[in-house]
């Protein structure tokens, strides 16, 4: 069972680090199931995410395609997520999300 690290959240709140809003695109290459990836992002890393789009095909029990996520995350948590994705050979691209505010 994968459990989040509660001490990590306390440390980040104590340091008052600012979160970043990111759009992340992940390419599924058949090495990891889509559901497992989403559960790992939420449960292991404690990152809440919104699925913006998902184009996933299931071929012989393997998952192929791309998924785009919106995440609001601390920089250190994103580095851990990026390391996990790279370790599992999942291509990923992240861009900062900026929203123009009109007064």
């Amino acid at each position: 069972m994968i459990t989040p690290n509660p001490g990590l959240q306390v440390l980040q709140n104590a340091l008052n680090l600012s979160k970043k809003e990111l759009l992340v695109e992940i390419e599924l290459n058949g090495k990891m199931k889509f559901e497992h990836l989403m559960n790992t992002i939420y449960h292991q890393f404690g990152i809440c995410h919104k699925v913006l789009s998902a184009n996933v095909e299931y071929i012989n029990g393997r998952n192929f395609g791309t998924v785009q996520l919106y995440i609001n995350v601390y920089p250190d948590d994103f580095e851990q997520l990026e390391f996990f994705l790279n370790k599992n050979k999942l291509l990923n691209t992240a861009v900062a999300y900026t929203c123009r505010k009109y007064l």
Side-chain angles (χ1 to χ4, degrees):
M1 184 167 122
I2 301 171
T3 58
N5 184 352
L8 185 61
Q9 187 74 334
V10 172
L11 176 61
Q12 290 168 336
N13 290 338
L15 295 175
N16 199 15
L17 297 174
S18 62
K19 287 186 171 184
K20 291 183 178 182
E21 294 182 75
L22 299 172
L23 300 177
V24 181
E25 183 173 70
I26 303 168
E27 184 177 326
L28 298 170
N29 56 10
K31 297 183 185 218
M32 182 178 293
K33 290 187 175 186
F34 174 74
E35 296 84 7
H36 178 71
L37 176 62
M38 295 297 106
N39 285 332
T40 301
I41 291 172
Y42 180 73
H43 291 291
Q44 183 175 347
F45 298 107
I47 298 174
C48 294
H49 57 274
K50 293 180 184 177
V51 177
L52 300 176
S53 71
N55 181 14
V56 180
E57 294 185 27
Y58 302 94
I59 302 170
N60 294 331
R62 297 177 177 258
N63 297 187
F64 297 92
T66 59
V67 60
Q68 294 178 343
L69 304 174
Y70 165 81
I71 58 175
N72 191 359
V73 66
Y74 291 105
D76 291 343
D77 290 342
F78 179 70
E79 285 180 22
Q80 291 177 1
L81 173 61
E82 194 172 34
F83 178 77
F84 169 80
L85 294 171
N86 291 334
K87 184 177 93 173
N88 288 287
K89 297 183 171 116
L90 296 170
L91 295 177
N92 60 86
T93 304
V95 294
Y97 175 77
T98 56
C99 182
R100 183 178 295 177
K101 295 181 181 179
Y102 297 97
L103 299 176

